[in-house]
RNA sequence: UCCCCGAUAGCUCAACGGUAGAGCGGCUGACUGUUAAUCAGUAGGUUCGUGGUUCGAAUCCACGUCGGGGAGCCA
């Protein structure tokens, strides 16, 4: 005998007039003396089930009355289209089986504070809004990978345990690695996908990334997921075109396939619909001028002297001037990672770009053309105070058939936060890891 | 690391120097169309901790703990 239900709520429309068994959890229950309404959630959706006292045994009715919120059960009944029911379909219950009881479920349909919800994240993921958010996340991930696969990329995963800091700047989580000393949780897979790119031409890695920075904002997690494509024989221009096509394809697919979820999230989709290539581009130099022209419009967006990096308020100001994602390109090399290719026309700036999402969501992509000349790369490693010995293998990539190449990294959670219009990044991942939270 | 804010019933909050309260949730009962049902009843408190000021502290002060928001840094 199988425990599997006849069908799922999502497919219920095809079963009108038939008797089916559904299996799920009690999302909500209400009643009226001689009838009980159960809102049953099975993962694919929710459906109202009605239990009339006259139509079931006394024991079944008593059971229905005492079901707690989130009790697991199997219900058998006939499917009926009914305008009075949320969702349009209703199940007239003949039989009800309790699979797993639930008593005093902590999360009620009423309001709750952030701290309480985060403490109950393992249960919070059952609620409608979180469902919609995490379904969009899954869609974004699937869309990203499938689009890259169609473009001829192969997934080439990078290690999570690494021996040294890839970019040398941020803080890293350290752990003991047997007799070999410290190992660090990867803050990017980029250096490794460069090795893959030389092997396969077009590759990407996708996995968790770790930053031990004490960031305490709604845009930061200590553990987040990043997808990092890397392409051989690709310059800065190729890179930007790839990025705008990539982001647009993901957004358009979410609009197509997850419209119901965006609706639950009350997302204004007009901004998303505008997300088609080409994306506007602004140089670092022009961005400085823009900041000067609009300072005061965003709090904290004070003028920036040439050579200094933007802060969060500046990024917000720049993004607010455009109606779709905007590339900010060619930052001063001195404030960027050591591996970025200098602009041949202006060696003091790098062939790099950040993609800023509209509506104040900030940077969702960072990318660049990489240095392919071995001597220049070695010089940069030294200039950044890094140990060349740690980068022997990385320099090897330039010794044996080096080619101009480019790549970028997209933060999944930031992208999902923007696409769904979610204020805080913590809701876009099942179990967020933050400065003051590692439970549950 | 720095700045700002918060902690009172299971949850969301009120009381702001003078008897600790409401709504929801729980429990009991009524109700054949509920959508966060409604109505009646009922239980539920070390007001985060420690110290201080005061005749009197949930309330004022100090320190601590936990959490929230922001800066820097980044995706």
């Amino acid at each position: 005998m199988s425990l599997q239900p006849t069908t799922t709520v999502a497919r219920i429309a095809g079963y009108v007039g038939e008797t089916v068994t559904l299996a799920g959890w009690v999302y909500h229950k209400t009643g009226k003396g001689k009838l009980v309404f159960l809102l049953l959630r099975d993962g694919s959706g929710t459906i109202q089930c009605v239990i009339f006292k006259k139509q079931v045994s006394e024991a079944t009715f008593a059971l229905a009355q005492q079901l707690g919120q989130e009790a697991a059960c199997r219900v058998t009944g006939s499917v009926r289209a009914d305008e009075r029911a949320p969702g349009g379909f209703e199940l007239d219950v003949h039989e009800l089986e309790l699979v797993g009881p639930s008593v005093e479920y902590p999360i009620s349909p009423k309001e709750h504070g952030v701290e309480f919800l985060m403490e109950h994240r393992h249960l919070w993921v059952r609620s409608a809004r979180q469902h919609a958010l995490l379904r969009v996340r899954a869609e974004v991930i699937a869309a990203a990978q499938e689009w890259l696969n169609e473009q001829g990329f192969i997934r080439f995963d990078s290690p999570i345990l690494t021996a040294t800091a890839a970019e040398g700047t941020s803080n890293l989580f350290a752990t003991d690695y047997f007799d070999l000393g410290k190992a660090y949780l990867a803050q990017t897979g980029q250096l490794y996908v460069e090795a893959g790119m030389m092997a396969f031409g077009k590759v990407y890695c996708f996995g968790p990334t770790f930053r031990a920075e004490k960031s305490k904002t709604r845009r930061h997690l200590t553990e987040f997921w990043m997808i990092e494509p890397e392409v051989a024989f690709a310059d800065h221009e190729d890179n930007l075109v790839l990025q705008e096509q990539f982001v647009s394809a993901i957004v358009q697919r979410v609009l197509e396939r997850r419209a119901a979820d965006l609706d639950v999230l009350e997302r204004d989709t007009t901004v998303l619909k505008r997300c088609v290539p080409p994306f506007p581009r602004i140089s670092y130099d022009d961005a400085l001028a823009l900041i000067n022209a609009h300072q005061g419009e965003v709090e904290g967006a004070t003028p920036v002297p040439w050579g200094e990096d933007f802060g969060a308020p500046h990024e917000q100001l720049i993004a607010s001037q455009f109606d779709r994602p905007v590339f900010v390109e060619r930052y001063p090399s001195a404030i960027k990672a050591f591996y970025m290719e200098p602009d041949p026309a202006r060696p003091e700036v790098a062939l790099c770009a950040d993609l800023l999402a509209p509506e104040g969501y900030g940077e969702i992509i960072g990318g660049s053309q990489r240095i392919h000349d071995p001597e220049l790369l070695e010089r940069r490693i030294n200039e950044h105070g890094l140990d060349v010995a740690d980068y022997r293998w990385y320099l090897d990539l330039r010794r044996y058939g080096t080619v101009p190449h480019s790549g970028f990294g997209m933060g999944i959670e930031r992208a999902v936060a923007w696409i769904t219009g979610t204020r805080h990044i913590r809701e876009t991942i099942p179990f967020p890891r933050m400065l003051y939270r590692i439970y549950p």
Side-chain angles (χ1 to χ4, degrees):
Chain A
M1 180 197 143
S2 167
L3 284 177
Q4 285 289 298
T6 313
T7 186
T8 61
V9 173
R11 297 181 176 177
I12 206 71
Y15 291 83
V16 172
E18 295 179 38
T19 294
V20 299
T21 298
L22 295 174
W25 296 263
V26 176
Y27 194 69
H28 184 247
K29 186 188 76 178
T30 182
K32 200 83 195 275
K34 286 173 184 160
L35 77 171
V36 172
F37 297 104
L38 288 185
L39 197 57
L40 189 79
R41 171 182 63 78
D42 76 344
S44 77
T46 57
I47 187 170
Q48 178 161 284
C49 306
V50 200
I51 298 128
F52 288 96
K53 191 170 188 177
K54 275 187 183 169
Q55 293 174 10
V56 297
S57 71
E58 216 165 282
T60 300
F61 192 75
L63 173 62
Q65 281 186 310
Q66 63 173 304
L67 284 175
Q69 192 186 347
E70 288 300 324
C73 52
R74 288 160 50 82
V75 291
T76 302
S78 49
V79 181
R80 181 161 47 75
D82 192 321
E83 285 181 4
R84 293 171 297 183
F89 297 96
E90 196 168 76
L91 194 74
D92 265 326
V93 176
H94 312 144
E95 286 168 48
L96 170 67
E97 180 197 343
L98 179 65
V99 177
S102 170
V103 180
E104 290 187 42
Y105 184 70
I107 302 177
S108 69
K110 287 272 187 174
E111 293 169 65
H112 294 286
V114 170
E115 187 181 352
F116 177 82
L117 289 169
M118 288 308 301
E119 198 68 16
H120 295 84
R121 182 63 178 169
H122 51 298
L123 302 177
W124 189 19
V125 293
R126 300 183 185 194
S127 61
R129 188 185 146 76
Q130 299 308 310
H131 250 226
L133 236 26
L134 294 175
R135 273 202 207 95
V136 172
R137 176 191 170 92
E139 191 69 45
V140 165
I141 291 169
Q145 293 199 77
E146 286 168 25
W147 188 84
L148 289 170
N149 293 344
E150 282 163 19
Q151 304 294 314
F153 283 75
I154 82 150
R155 179 166 166 164
F156 180 89
D157 286 316
S158 55
I160 288 171
L161 289 167
T162 58
T164 51
E167 297 178 1
T169 51
S170 310
N171 296 321
L172 301 171
F173 287 107
T175 186
D176 291 321
Y177 200 80
F178 307 112
D179 297 332
L180 298 180
K182 290 283 180 202
Y184 303 91
L185 299 185
Q187 59 185 337
T188 171
Q190 190 216 305
L191 272 52
Y192 293 96
V193 289
E194 285 186 60
M197 166 276 298
M198 294 288 193
F200 296 95
K202 293 165 145 187
V203 299
Y204 66 94
C205 66
F206 176 55
T209 304
F210 306 87
R211 305 273 164 96
E213 292 154 356
K214 295 198 170 179
S215 299
K216 202 167 159 12
T217 80
R218 63 174 185 270
R219 300 182 307 281
H220 288 88
L221 297 169
T222 54
E223 178 183 306
F224 64 96
W225 288 64
M226 188 154 64
I227 190 158
E228 298 177 87
E230 191 75 27
V231 184
F233 304 103
D235 64 11
H236 178 62
E237 174 66 24
D238 297 324
N239 200 21
L240 297 195
V241 170
L242 177 67
Q243 288 174 48
E244 61 193 10
Q245 289 179 348
F246 176 69
V247 170
S248 304
I250 292 167
V251 170
Q252 297 310 316
R253 176 160 151 178
V254 170
L255 281 171
E256 220 171 275
R257 302 199 189 180
R258 301 266 52 111
D261 293 316
L262 294 176
D263 196 46
V264 167
L265 298 165
E266 297 177 321
R267 178 63 164 123
D268 175 4
T269 54
T270 55
V271 190
L272 300 179
K273 286 174 182 151
R274 278 199 298 267
C275 184
V276 288
F279 293 169
R281 301 177 188 186
I282 184 171
S283 69
Y284 170 87
D285 293 29
D286 291 342
L288 289 188
L290 191 72
I291 290 164
N292 277 323
H294 294 269
Q295 57 174 293
E297 287 177 25
V298 175
E299 199 183 334
T302 50
V304 178
W306 198 95
E308 277 185 28
D309 207 352
F310 303 136
H314 303 108
E315 286 188 355
Q316 203 185 319
L317 187 155
I318 296 163
S320 71
Q321 303 298 315
F322 301 91
D323 68 351
R324 65 194 75 191
V326 55
F327 288 112
V328 182
E329 57 174 345
R330 298 170 208 261
Y331 285 76
S333 296
I335 54 170
K336 286 292 177 180
F338 71 88
Y339 49 71
M340 292 186 181
E341 178 77 8
D343 184 344
R346 290 180 63 202
E348 71 275 18
V349 301
L351 291 175
C352 65
D354 288 347
L355 184 66
L356 307 183
E359 302 162 273
Y361 285 93
E363 185 182 346
I364 56 173
I365 284 181
S368 66
Q369 184 173 334
R370 327 299 193 187
I371 293 174
H372 59 278
D373 178 71
E375 270 108 55
L376 176 58
L377 184 60
E378 186 162 347
R379 197 155 71 238
R380 285 292 160 82
I381 289 170
N382 284 316
E383 284 168 8
H384 277 76
L386 302 170
D387 187 350
V388 174
D390 291 335
Y391 295 89
R392 282 191 323 265
W393 69 265
Y394 189 62
L395 285 161
D396 266 0
L397 303 177
R398 278 76 180 168
R399 280 195 193 99
Y400 306 104
T402 190
V403 295
H405 61 285
S406 301
F408 63 94
M410 183 179 82
I412 294 293
E413 291 77 16
R414 284 191 182 175
V416 173
W418 164 57
I419 291 169
T420 56
T422 306
R423 184 173 159 75
H424 203 300
I425 199 173
R426 68 186 156 215
E427 291 181 47
T428 64
I429 185 169
F431 295 96
R433 292 293 176 251
M434 294 174 292
L435 185 53
Y436 294 124
R437 180 159 299 282
I438 198 165
Y439 175 95

